[in-house]
Every structure is written in structure tokens, then in C-alpha cells.
Amino acid sequence: MRTLKQPNEALEIYAISIDPPDKSKSLAEKIAADGKGNLGFLILSDPGSKTIDAWGLRDPAYKGQAIDGVPHPAVFVLDKTGKVAWSRIESDYKVRPTNAEIRAALDALGK
């Protein structure tokens, strides 16, 4: 994700997970220890999926399972007022927007 943020750019990146904070912290530490460096963004914990549900992202494929509440993969770019300027929601967890696509959406905010 570091390639998304330009030097000295006022940009904040967050991830939202159903995992509790300690599990997200452990994941971030494991990634850093694997030589990939710090994440460069915060992982926000949503163990009750309230935020995920508020955005309509809950994946029904996991209903009734131990991991019920898992969201569809989604990326939102918000403008300075908090309005969604660009988004991508996928049904397949293997499909994600590229950093170039996200960067283009970020660059469009400045136009």
C-alpha cells in the first residue's frame, strides 16, 4: 500500500477487519517480521460487523459460520468532506482493484 501514498501527501489509509485488535496487531507484526515492512496503515477492528453492515458489505456466503460477518472486499476513496468519491466492491475475495486504479481515483480528487 505504500505505493498509494505520495511523499508528503495528506492521505490516510485504513483497513477494517472483523478480527479483534490483538489479532490484527499480530498480523501486522507478522507481515513486518517477514521482511515486507510495516503496513503503513491502521487496521480498524469491527468484530461485531456493525461498520461492515452499515456499508452493506457483509458477505452472505459466510452466514452461520464461525466467520460470519466477513465483508466483501471493498475499497472506498473519500474526499475531504467524507463523501465517497470512488468505490469498488467485489464478490470474489481474490479480485481486488490495483494500486494504479486506486491511485487514479485519488489523483482525480485533486482535479
Side-chain angles (χ1 to χ4, degrees):
M1 283 263 189
R2 272 182 249 198
T3 58
L4 289 177
K5 190 172 182 177
Q6 303 299 318
N8 302 315
E9 183 177 30
L11 172 67
E12 296 180 38
I13 301 172
Y14 300 96
I16 298 176
S17 171
I18 64 169
D19 293 332
D22 59 328
K23 190 169 181 182
S24 294
K25 182 180 178 187
S26 293
L27 173 63
E29 290 170 350
K30 181 181 182 310
I31 290 169
D34 284 347
K36 295 178 182 155
N38 293 329
L39 288 179
F41 59 89
L42 293 176
I43 301 175
L44 305 177
S45 183
D46 187 21
S49 299
K50 290 180 182 175
T51 301
I52 290 164
D53 289 340
W55 286 79
L57 298 174
R58 186 184 290 243
D59 187 340
Y62 297 99
K63 187 174 182 168
Q65 297 182 33
I67 55 173
D68 189 4
V70 168
H72 288 289
V75 175
F76 295 92
V77 173
L78 308 179
D79 67 16
K80 290 179 182 180
T81 68
K83 181 180 174 186
V84 176
W86 181 89
S87 66
R88 176 80 58 84
I89 302 169
E90 302 290 350
S91 58
D92 183 346
Y93 75 92
K94 297 176 197 167
V95 178
R96 309 288 171 111
T98 65
N99 283 358
E101 291 171 313
I102 300 167
R103 185 68 241 175
L106 292 167
D107 291 342
L109 290 176
K111 293 180 181 178

